[in-house]
C-alpha cells in the first residue's frame, strides 16, 4: 500500500489536481485486499475453506485481514509454565486462595456438578479443579483475541503452524456454526477460550448444551461449561471411581530413567511390569492395567514418584503436561478434603 508522509501531503495539497488524481489512484488500486496481498499459504488456506468446508472466500479474507500478528503470543508459547520444574509449577495453582474460591464455586454450582457427575461419571472435584487451574473458575479467561492467537501461531510460528492453522479453520467453522463473533472473543495465547479453555476443535466436538437452552456457550454459560468438561473426560475414557495416580517409592536397582522415559504421556508399561521393576505402589487395579512411572522434581533436588494410570492419561488429553495433570489431581484432592 502506498504510504504518504506529511511532507508529501503538504506538497501535494498545494497542487489540488495532482493530489486528487493520486488519491483516486490509491483507492482504485487498493479497494480491498486482492489475491496478490495474500501469501501463498494464506491463499491456500482461503481456498481450502471455500472448497472443502463451504466457508465463503470473502468471510475468510475479512477475518485474515482483521487478524494481527503478535510477537507477545509467540514469546508466550516459547516459554510455557509447563517447562518449569514441579516445585515451581505447583505453587502457581495450589494456593489457599484458589482452594477457597474452588469451594465457593462448588457450593454455588453443586446441583449442576452433581448432574454432570451422574451423566458422565466424572467426579465434581475433577471438574472444579480443571476450571480452577484453567481460568480461576471463570474469572481469568484470557486477554488475547482468539483470532489473533490462531493467526499468529498458524502463519508465523513454524514449529506448530500445522496444528494452529487447523485450529484457525476450526475456529472459523465454529464461529459460523454457533454464531460466535470471531473478531471479539478473547482467550489464551494459544487460542483456548471459555471457563474450561477449550480450543476450537474441542469446542466443536465436545461442547454440550447442558442447560437445554439450544446454545452451546462455553464463555458465558457456566452450566454448559461444566457439562462440556465432564463430557470431554467421558469421551476420553475417564473411568468413574478409579484412581488417576498413586504415590510410589522405588527400590535401589529400579531403572528409573528407563521407566520414566518415553514418547509423550503414553502409558508405557503395566501395573505388573512396574512392580516387577521394583516400583512399589498400592492399587487394586489388575496387573494388566496400563501404567507409567512419573518423576516430579522437588525443591530439595530430590524427586517424588507417582504411577500414572488410565485416568491420569485422560487428564493429559486436556493438557499434555504431566505437571498439569498432577496439579489438577492435587487441587481436586484439596477440594474434596476441605469441602465438608
Amino acid at each position: 500500500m502506498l504510504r504518504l508522509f506529511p511532507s508529501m501531503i503538504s506538497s501535494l495539497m498545494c497542487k489540488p489536481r495532482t493530489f486528487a488524481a493520486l488519491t483516486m489512484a490509491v483507492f482504485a488500486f487498493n479497494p480491498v485486499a486482492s489475491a496478490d496481498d495474500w501469501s501463498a499459504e494464506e491463499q491456500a488456506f482461503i481456498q481450502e475453506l471455500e472448497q472443502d468446508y463451504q466457508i465463503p472466500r470473502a468471510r475468510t479474507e475479512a477475518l485474515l485481514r482483521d487478524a494481527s500478528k503478535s510477537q507477545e503470543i509467540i514469546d508466550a508459547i516459547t516459554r510455557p509454565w509447563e517447562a518449569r520444574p514441579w516445585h515451581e509449577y505447583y505453587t502457581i495453582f495450589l494456593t489457599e486462595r484458589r482452594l477457597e474460591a474452588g469451594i465457593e464455586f462448588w457450593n454455588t454450582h453443586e446441583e449442576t456438578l452433581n448432574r454432570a457427575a451422574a451423566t458422565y461419571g466424572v467426579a465434581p472435584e475433577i471438574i472444579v479443579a480443571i476450571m480452577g487451574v484453567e481460568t480461576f473458575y471463570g474469572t481469568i479467561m484470557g486477554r488475547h483475541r482468539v483470532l489473533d492467537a490462531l493467526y499468529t501461531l498458524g502463519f508465523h510460528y513454524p514449529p506448530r503452524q500445522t496444528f494452529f492453522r487447523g485450529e484457525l479453520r476450526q475456529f472459523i467453522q465454529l464461529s459460523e456454526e454457533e454464531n460466535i463473533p470471531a473478531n471479539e472473543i478473547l482467550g489464551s495465547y494459544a487460542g483456548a477460550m471459555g471457563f474450561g479453555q477449550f480450543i476450537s476443535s474441542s469446542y466443536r466436538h465436545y461442547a454440550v448444551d447442558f442447560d437445554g437452552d439450544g446454545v452451546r456457550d462455553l464463555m458465558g454459560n457456566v452450566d454448559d461449561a461444566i457439562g462440556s468438561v465432564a463430557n470431554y473426560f467421558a469421551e476420553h475414557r475417564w473411568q468413574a471411581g478409579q484412581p488417576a495416580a498413586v504415590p510410589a517409592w522405588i527400590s535401589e536397582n529400579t531403572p528409573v530413567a528407563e521407566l520414566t522415559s518415553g514418547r509423550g504421556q503414553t502409558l508405557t508399561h503395566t501395573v505388573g511390569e512396574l512392580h516387577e521393576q521394583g516400583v512399589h505402589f498400592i492399587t487394586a487395579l489388575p496387573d494388566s492395567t496400563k501404567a507409567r512411572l512419573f518423576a516430579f522434581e522437588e525443591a530439595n533436588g530430590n524427586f517424588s514418584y507417582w504411577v500414572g494410570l488410565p485416568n491420569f492419561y485422560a487428564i493429559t488429553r486436556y493438557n499434555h503436561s504431566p505437571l498439569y495433570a498432577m496439579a489438577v489431581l492435587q487441587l481436586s484432592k484439596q477440594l474434596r478434603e476441605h469441602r465438608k
Side-chain angles (χ1 to χ4, degrees):
M1 178 178 290
L2 180 62
R3 177 174 296 179
L4 301 179
F5 293 97
S7 60
M8 296 170 62
I9 294 176
S10 177
S11 174
L12 289 168
M13 286 296 288
C14 298
K15 304 175 182 178
R17 293 181 181 177
T18 304
F19 181 76
L22 180 58
T23 302
M24 292 178 63
V26 169
F27 284 98
F29 286 101
N30 296 277
V32 294
S34 66
D36 293 338
D37 294 311
W38 307 111
S39 68
E41 292 179 322
E42 289 169 338
Q43 288 189 50
F45 181 77
I46 293 167
Q47 184 174 355
E48 176 194 14
L49 264 66
E50 182 177 42
Q51 293 183 351
D52 298 344
Y53 301 99
Q54 292 72 56
I55 303 295
R57 181 183 186 88
R59 167 68 170 164
T60 305
E61 287 183 342
L63 289 174
L64 291 183
R65 196 177 302 119
D66 185 47
S68 298
K69 175 188 174 183
S70 169
Q71 186 59 44
E72 182 183 358
I73 287 171
I74 294 175
D75 292 342
I77 202 169
T78 59
R79 53 171 189 270
W81 289 111
E82 287 76 13
R84 300 186 178 196
W86 167 249
H87 65 86
E88 293 182 10
Y89 182 84
Y90 81 82
T91 59
I92 304 167
F93 304 105
L94 303 181
T95 65
E96 189 68 26
R97 182 165 167 260
R98 200 177 300 259
L99 173 60
E100 292 174 355
I103 293 172
E104 181 180 356
F105 181 88
W106 191 342
N107 291 337
T108 301
H109 302 286
E110 180 175 13
E111 181 179 349
T112 303
L113 287 161
N114 288 342
R115 183 160 60 89
T119 303
Y120 298 107
V122 183
E125 61 265 26
I126 293 293
I127 302 172
V128 176
I130 287 288
M131 292 195 177
V133 169
E134 290 289 349
T135 63
F136 208 98
Y137 315 103
T139 62
I140 307 173
M141 295 195 198
R143 58 185 180 81
H144 302 282
R145 283 202 314 170
V146 172
L147 177 63
D148 294 337
L150 296 179
Y151 170 75
T152 296
L153 299 175
F155 288 98
H156 301 283
Y157 185 63
R160 297 193 65 191
Q161 67 180 20
T162 299
F163 171 79
F164 283 107
R165 200 173 299 173
E167 286 302 312
L168 178 57
R169 172 178 60 76
Q170 296 271 358
F171 180 61
I172 294 173
Q173 291 179 278
L174 175 68
S175 70
E176 295 287 298
E177 295 163 352
E178 304 289 340
N179 196 28
I180 291 174
N183 305 73
E184 301 175 12
I185 297 300
L186 300 181
S188 74
Y189 65 79
M193 60 196 117
F195 282 88
Q197 294 290 276
F198 274 34
I199 57 175
S200 300
S201 57
S202 294
Y203 199 132
R204 292 188 68 221
H205 291 102
Y206 304 114
V208 297
D209 171 21
F210 205 52
D211 67 350
D213 67 353
V215 179
R216 303 189 303 169
D217 178 11
L218 303 190
M219 278 73 76
N221 188 320
V222 69
D223 287 0
D224 285 359
I226 288 171
S228 297
V229 170
N231 181 53
Y232 187 96
F233 277 98
E235 290 288 339
H236 286 83
R237 301 182 180 180
W238 181 266
Q239 299 176 5
Q242 296 298 330
V246 293
W249 60 101
I250 58 177
S251 299
E252 183 176 352
N253 296 322
T254 299
V256 174
E258 175 185 333
L259 295 177
T260 56
S261 66
R263 184 179 179 84
Q265 299 73 41
T266 303
L267 303 181
T268 51
H269 297 82
T270 66
V271 166
E273 288 170 348
L274 291 180
H275 278 146
E276 291 174 358
Q277 293 285 352
V279 181
H280 306 284
F281 56 100
I282 299 172
T283 179
L285 292 172
D287 282 353
S288 60
T289 303
K290 284 290 188 179
R292 180 171 173 178
L293 181 66
F294 290 95
F296 297 92
E297 184 180 352
E298 304 292 352
N300 59 9
N302 294 326
F303 289 85
S304 57
Y305 297 100
W306 289 75
V307 171
L309 300 163
N311 279 351
F312 190 88
Y313 182 73
I315 299 176
T316 64
R317 299 309 82 205
Y318 207 98
N319 179 308
H320 289 179
S321 169
L323 300 181
Y324 174 91
M326 183 54 65
V328 167
L329 287 178
Q330 294 292 340
L331 180 56
S332 71
K333 181 175 182 291
Q334 290 181 357
L335 289 164
R336 184 176 64 251
E337 292 177 348
H338 286 80
R339 184 184 179 272
K340 296 180 180 179

